[in-house]
Amino acid sequence: MIPSDVLDELRLMLGEGLSTGKSDLSLHGQSETWHAEMPPDAVAYPRDTGQVAAIVAICARHGIPVIGWGAGTALEGHGSAPRGGVTVDFRHMNAVLEVRAEDMLVRVQPGCTREDLNRELRASGLMFPVDPGANASLGGMASTRASGTTALRYGTMRDQVRGLEVVLADGRIIRTGTQARKSSAGYDLTALFVGSEGTLGLITELTLRLHGQPEAVSAAVCGFETTEGAIDAVILATQMGLTPARMEYVDTATVRILNAADGADLPETPHLLLEFHGSDTAVAEDAARFGEIAGDLGGSGYAWATRPEDRTRLWSMRHRAYHTILATRPGATAIVTDVCVPISRLGEAIARASADIDASPLDGPILGHVGDGNYHAILMVDRASPAEITEAKRLSDAMVAHALDLGGTATGEHGVGLGKLHLMEAEHGAAWDVMGAIKRALDPDGVMNPGKLVRQN
Amino acid sequence: MIPSDVLDELRLMLGEGLSTGKSDLSLHGQSETWHAEMPPDAVAYPRDTGQVAAIVAICARHGIPVIGWGAGTALEGHGSAPRGGVTVDFRHMNAVLEVRAEDMLVRVQPGCTREDLNRELRASGLMFPVDPGANASLGGMASTRASGTTALRYGTMRDQVRGLEVVLADGRIIRTGTQARKSSAGYDLTALFVGSEGTLGLITELTLRLHGQPEAVSAAVCGFETTEGAIDAVILATQMGLTPARMEYVDTATVRILNAADGADLPETPHLLLEFHGSDTAVAEDAARFGEIAGDLGGSGYAWATRPEDRTRLWSMRHRAYHTILATRPGATAIVTDVCVPISRLGEAIARASADIDASPLDGPILGHVGDGNYHAILMVDRASPAEITEAKRLSDAMVAHALDLGGTATGEHGVGLGKLHLMEAEHGAAWDVMGAIKRALDPDGVMNPGKLVRQN
């Protein structure tokens, strides 16, 4: 609980920008997925960096936790408040501050969502490519080092964030990075804060790289008899220098669901969904080359479409897949796995995961960003069933253990939050202690998003 | 001075791998450029990570500085030993440990040079693209976040390092990153160590991304009446989605020197040197498109060549430029500036720098990686003339001050070392204190490369 004089101090500054309403607290304690509700004691809605700094300084003085909140689309309970405290909701700090077309940069506030940014950019010929599916906030995406379907060509948030403004745990405001394309001037603090999940500070402004809207886009679907065939096609295409913007895998279970529930009409085998970006010539060349590769590896039904409406239908279906899958079991929630492995080991990782799921009473269709070696099993569980949650966690932990054996990671893009915390020691060993040392150096009193990412006291 | 019992302890472990010979110490105290000689007390030549860890542990116990040494090509005195200590020379740890072609990864030891790695890769169809000109060691390149002529298409060392093995200041060995293409599993320690110049630990192994050798390569030279025309061409090409592998600027002074001393035969105006990588079609298309852009912006003499010998001649000339320029003033050394600015401000940055140099008694031809907004003035000085060194530093500092005003950085690729230390506070403000806090957290006794990068005690 927050002492009432501290609440008064916050209210004096924020006025209506401080909420302690029960439904508001509940909303900010919830997670997209299976995590239990852990509400904060208050929600702050700052309007500028100065207010954020003041909130953090007040909370730090009293040892009160501060948790950042973007669009609430995190999957691992990043925004929940296991120790109470003040959740800082950035919905009013959502402006596109400056578009610098010649430098292909944009400055945004953290509450701006990726879709809002791209709407703003539409007429400029530029775009922000990272696409995790959900319409996440850019501050949240940076905080979890998000990626999604287009990372293959454009990279993840790690590759897009050029600089940050950050409010530190003691209320100081710093700027990291520059507006130049590169720098060798000291430690890469930008990269340190990207993916730090609000445990080292709150991001209050981002400078992001932009990319030109592709002159031409073509999308394609291709069926494979086996998962191995699909993955071999991905490996060969990458080695040959093809850089599709998207290269997505859906397993047979997912195809069945998309056919039944979302009007798809695909043969019931594993499929790749692809998208190529570039000049007209390059897109045609890439699409044709991929067709040859797929043909050699047992691909069938390969067809590519350049009509925008066909492409939109394909990617809307892909983006809806999570909810379409969940809807096959009304009332269910999901434990979504997120391992990422070296692509040479992806076939065996998916094969083992499929066998484990087949042997389990739970359903868990598999789909993913296979060009990156990243896939998700959507393990459907009844939130009220401890047995199902235990079984899903067992499956998920087994996938992680296998991924680590293969040189991979517990989380390719969802982050640690609460849900992956118990896996960090296995993944990092002594390097996890280094993360802890950095945390203690920048947040000695542990006020920034406590309970997440680093070893807990 | 190192106590003799410590030297005995090191010698017991390293045998002939410990040197205190005068010429060896002198060699490891020297810099490529103007920095005064600052020799260590001993040079260690470890053969494996275990030896490195033992060296660091012994030195840490006695508070003795430890300095990493790769190929000795750093420009800012990174490897010098202002407080004495033990220099760890990685020449014997230079193996290519594993090439994983399907994953487009390689594991190397830090002493392996980029040319040795590419020789090893030649038959594989893969390559390591980062090319700073000098045949630097890969550990050194990671430590300074190096880049060079190909960063425009392939990125800098920041983008190539997938994971590291690091010996920390207390002798612990950690591994950062994974072999997967991406991860959201906690703080990006890999990015933190890349560019940390040996001040947080010593890199003992690197996992690096590889790229396919391009199917086709074409090179081109194009003259422009003005620097602005050349830069506008660069900006427009980037906005149109062209991704040349190299896009280098040489000013008129550099062209004159290349004509006179290296057999070039170019009109005496600013020039761009370009290289395109891709499929046959893509390279032809990109080269033709660039020609159109250049034509619109006053470019002339644009010609492109796909013959390997013509390309090799061009890039050898570019790589030799530093030494060719230095040779115009026998006995001179250089203070090489390295600012990097947003590309929209590059024209004014170069114009101001040129005017300052013209008004100075010193010569300083300008050339650089303009696609990145990064350029170098080779300010030639007599090492024995304090007045010239003072004047060159004044010019260099003025370029940095201007670059910072324009949103840029003091160093695009050379790093901080000793030479840029006095500029860090101006560039980073309070963020420099955060770097200091991280340094103290990971190296509380200040044994790792003391005197560099962070604020000095």
Side-chain angles (χ1 to χ4, degrees):
Chain A
M1 286 295 293
I2 304 182
S4 64
D5 59 326
V6 180
L7 277 182
D8 290 345
E9 198 179 346
L10 289 168
R11 192 171 284 115
L12 191 68
M13 173 181 59
L14 295 165
E16 293 189 351
L18 188 79
S19 162
T20 52
K22 204 154 180 182
S23 65
D24 216 13
L25 300 183
S26 166
L27 185 77
H28 288 86
Q30 286 167 24
S31 148
E32 278 273 318
T33 55
W34 61 280
H35 296 281
E37 182 178 319
M38 300 178 191
D41 299 306
V43 182
Y45 296 92
R47 299 211 163 251
D48 57 39
T49 299
Q51 286 193 342
V52 176
I55 293 165
V56 174
I58 291 168
C59 288
R61 220 159 40 230
H62 299 278
I64 294 166
V66 179
I67 304 108
W69 188 272
T73 56
L75 296 177
E76 293 296 354
H78 298 74
S80 65
R83 301 179 193 179
V86 177
T87 292
V88 179
D89 184 321
F90 285 100
R91 74 176 57 182
H92 299 311
M93 289 178 66
N94 66 346
V96 175
L97 298 170
E98 185 189 17
V99 178
R100 294 176 59 153
E102 287 195 323
D103 296 315
M104 301 178 80
L105 288 181
V106 65
R107 284 194 306 120
V108 298
Q109 289 185 307
C112 178
T113 68
R114 63 177 189 90
E115 288 181 5
D116 283 348
L117 173 58
N118 277 319
R119 234 185 317 274
E120 184 98 2
L121 292 172
R122 199 167 289 163
S124 71
L126 297 168
M127 65 168 190
F128 182 74
V130 182
D131 179 1
N135 185 22
S137 73
L138 293 160
M141 287 168 66
S143 294
T144 53
R145 209 182 295 123
S147 46
T149 53
T150 61
L152 192 60
R153 185 181 179 97
Y154 298 100
T156 72
M157 286 303 285
R158 181 187 198 272
D159 306 296
Q160 314 307 323
V161 183
R162 188 62 61 75
L164 295 169
E165 181 187 75
V166 178
V167 171
L168 298 176
D170 57 6
R172 271 182 304 164
I173 300 166
I174 61 165
R175 285 192 166 269
T176 73
T178 73
Q179 305 207 332
R181 277 176 65 105
K182 63 184 191 183
S183 171
S184 286
Y187 304 157
D188 190 346
L189 297 183
T190 304
L192 181 64
F193 283 101
V194 170
S196 67
E197 304 186 359
T199 63
L200 300 177
L202 289 178
I203 295 171
T204 48
E205 187 186 306
L206 305 92
T207 301
L208 300 171
R209 286 180 67 187
L210 298 175
H211 299 258
Q213 289 168 14
E215 184 184 311
V217 176
S218 82
V221 178
C222 186
F224 288 84
E225 283 165 43
T226 62
T227 295
E228 290 65 38
I231 291 168
D232 285 346
V234 169
I235 292 175
L236 199 55
T238 308
Q239 284 184 320
M240 288 179 63
L242 296 189
T243 51
R246 312 185 203 243
M247 193 142 56
E248 297 283 303
Y249 166 85
V250 284
D251 73 353
T252 305
T254 303
V255 168
R256 274 193 205 111
I257 291 170
L258 296 179
N259 282 346
D262 206 6
D265 184 23
L266 300 169
E268 293 191 350
T269 66
H271 274 70
L272 292 179
L273 320 182
L274 301 114
E275 189 168 272
F276 300 97
H277 292 183
S279 69
D280 286 309
T281 337
V283 160
E285 189 181 10
D286 284 0
R289 280 178 165 213
F290 188 85
E292 286 164 28
I293 293 168
D296 288 346
L297 292 165
S300 61
Y302 180 66
W304 45 289
T306 51
R307 288 200 315 167
E309 55 271 36
D310 296 337
R311 286 190 279 114
T312 303
R313 207 175 54 207
L314 179 68
W315 296 114
S316 300
M317 182 176 78
R318 169 64 187 87
H319 280 338
R320 276 195 309 268
Y322 171 64
H323 292 288
T324 309
I325 289 168
L326 266 188
T328 61
R329 183 171 168 188
T333 185
I335 291 186
V336 185
T337 72
D338 181 37
V339 302
C340 187
V341 298
I343 194 152
S344 66
R345 318 305 294 272
L346 183 60
E348 60 192 285
I350 291 183
R352 167 100 66 110
S354 294
D356 284 357
I357 293 167
D358 287 348
S360 158
L362 296 181
D363 284 330
I366 290 175
L367 70 180
H369 320 305
V370 286
D372 291 328
N374 183 204
Y375 71 89
H376 309 298
I378 317 286
L379 300 168
M380 284 177 279
V381 294
D382 178 348
R383 197 193 290 266
S385 164
E388 287 195 4
I389 289 180
T390 301
E391 170 64 3
K393 285 186 181 173
R394 184 192 66 78
L395 285 169
S396 171
D397 287 356
M399 279 182 230
V400 170
H402 192 216
L404 298 184
D405 280 348
L406 299 176
T409 175
T411 168
E413 55 183 14
H414 294 170
V416 182
L418 292 171
K420 295 272 161 52
L421 191 61
H422 65 294
L423 302 164
M424 289 301 96
E425 180 143 33
E427 174 155 347
H428 299 296
W432 199 37
D433 297 325
V434 174
M435 296 186 201
I438 292 169
K439 166 75 173 178
R440 284 190 300 278
L442 300 195
D443 179 21
D445 299 322
V447 296
M448 304 310 297
N449 207 4
K452 322 283 171 69
L453 200 148
V454 292
R455 195 190 301 280
Q456 301 306 304
N457 305 325
Chain B
M1 286 298 294
I2 304 183
S4 63
D5 58 327
V6 180
L7 277 182
D8 290 345
E9 199 179 346
L10 290 168
R11 192 170 286 117
L12 192 67
M13 174 181 57
L14 295 165
E16 293 191 350
L18 188 78
S19 160
T20 51
K22 207 155 179 183
S23 65
D24 216 12
L25 301 183
S26 166
L27 185 76
H28 288 85
Q30 286 167 23
S31 148
E32 277 275 317
T33 56
W34 61 280
H35 295 282
E37 182 178 318
M38 300 179 191
D41 300 306
V43 181
Y45 297 92
R47 300 212 162 250
D48 57 39
T49 299
Q51 287 193 341
V52 177
I55 294 164
V56 174
I58 292 168
C59 288
R61 221 162 35 234
H62 300 276
I64 293 165
V66 179
I67 305 109
W69 187 273
T73 56
L75 296 177
E76 293 296 354
H78 296 76
S80 67
R83 302 180 192 178
V86 177
T87 293
V88 179
D89 184 322
F90 285 101
R91 76 176 57 182
H92 300 312
M93 288 176 66
N94 65 347
V96 176
L97 298 170
E98 185 189 17
V99 178
R100 293 177 60 152
E102 287 197 325
D103 296 314
M104 299 176 81
L105 289 180
V106 66
R107 284 194 305 119
V108 298
Q109 289 186 309
C112 178
T113 69
R114 64 176 188 89
E115 289 180 4
D116 283 347
L117 173 58
N118 277 319
R119 233 185 316 275
E120 184 97 3
L121 292 172
R122 199 168 290 162
S124 71
L126 297 168
M127 65 167 188
F128 181 74
V130 182
D131 178 1
N135 185 23
S137 72
L138 293 160
M141 287 169 66
S143 295
T144 53
R145 209 181 295 122
S147 46
T149 54
T150 61
L152 193 60
R153 184 179 179 99
Y154 298 100
T156 72
M157 286 304 285
R158 181 187 197 272
D159 307 298
Q160 313 307 325
V161 183
R162 189 63 61 76
L164 296 169
E165 180 186 75
V166 178
V167 171
L168 299 175
D170 56 7
R172 270 182 304 163
I173 301 166
I174 61 166
R175 284 191 167 269
T176 73
T178 74
Q179 305 208 333
R181 277 176 65 105
K182 63 184 191 184
S183 172
S184 286
Y187 306 157
D188 189 346
L189 296 183
T190 304
L192 181 65
F193 283 101
V194 170
S196 67
E197 304 185 358
T199 63
L200 300 176
L202 289 178
I203 295 170
T204 47
E205 187 186 307
L206 306 92
T207 301
L208 301 170
R209 285 179 67 188
L210 298 175
H211 300 257
Q213 289 169 14
E215 183 184 312
V217 176
S218 83
V221 178
C222 186
F224 289 84
E225 285 165 42
T226 63
T227 295
E228 289 66 36
I231 291 168
D232 285 346
V234 170
I235 292 175
L236 198 55
T238 308
Q239 284 184 319
M240 289 180 61
L242 296 187
T243 51
R246 311 183 203 243
M247 193 143 56
E248 297 282 303
Y249 167 85
V250 285
D251 74 352
T252 305
T254 303
V255 168
R256 274 194 204 111
I257 291 170
L258 296 178
N259 282 346
D262 207 6
D265 184 22
L266 299 169
E268 292 192 351
T269 66
H271 274 70
L272 292 180
L273 319 182
L274 301 113
E275 189 167 274
F276 300 97
H277 292 183
S279 68
D280 287 310
T281 336
V283 160
E285 188 180 12
D286 283 0
R289 282 179 164 213
F290 189 85
E292 287 164 28
I293 293 168
D296 289 345
L297 292 165
S300 61
Y302 181 65
W304 45 288
T306 52
R307 288 201 313 169
E309 53 271 35
D310 295 337
R311 288 190 279 112
T312 303
R313 206 174 54 207
L314 179 68
W315 296 114
S316 301
M317 182 176 78
R318 168 64 188 87
H319 280 337
R320 275 196 309 268
Y322 171 64
H323 292 288
T324 309
I325 289 167
L326 265 187
T328 61
R329 184 173 167 188
T333 185
I335 291 186
V336 185
T337 72
D338 181 37
V339 302
C340 187
V341 298
I343 194 153
S344 65
R345 319 305 295 271
L346 183 60
E348 60 192 284
I350 292 182
R352 166 100 67 109
S354 293
D356 284 358
I357 294 167
D358 287 347
S360 156
L362 297 181
D363 285 330
I366 291 176
L367 71 180
H369 320 305
V370 286
D372 291 329
N374 184 204
Y375 70 89
H376 309 297
I378 316 286
L379 300 167
M380 284 176 279
V381 294
D382 177 349
R383 196 193 290 266
S385 162
E388 286 196 2
I389 288 180
T390 302
E391 170 65 1
K393 285 187 182 174
R394 184 191 66 78
L395 285 169
S396 171
D397 287 355
M399 278 182 232
V400 170
H402 192 216
L404 298 184
D405 281 348
L406 300 175
T409 175
T411 168
E413 57 182 13
H414 295 169
V416 182
L418 292 171
K420 296 272 161 50
L421 190 61
H422 65 294
L423 303 164
M424 289 302 97
E425 180 144 32
E427 174 154 345
H428 299 295
W432 199 36
D433 297 325
V434 174
M435 295 185 202
I438 292 169
K439 165 76 174 177
R440 284 190 300 278
L442 300 195
D443 180 21
D445 299 322
V447 296
M448 303 309 298
N449 207 3
K452 321 284 171 69
L453 200 146
V454 292
R455 195 191 299 283
Q456 300 306 304
N457 305 324

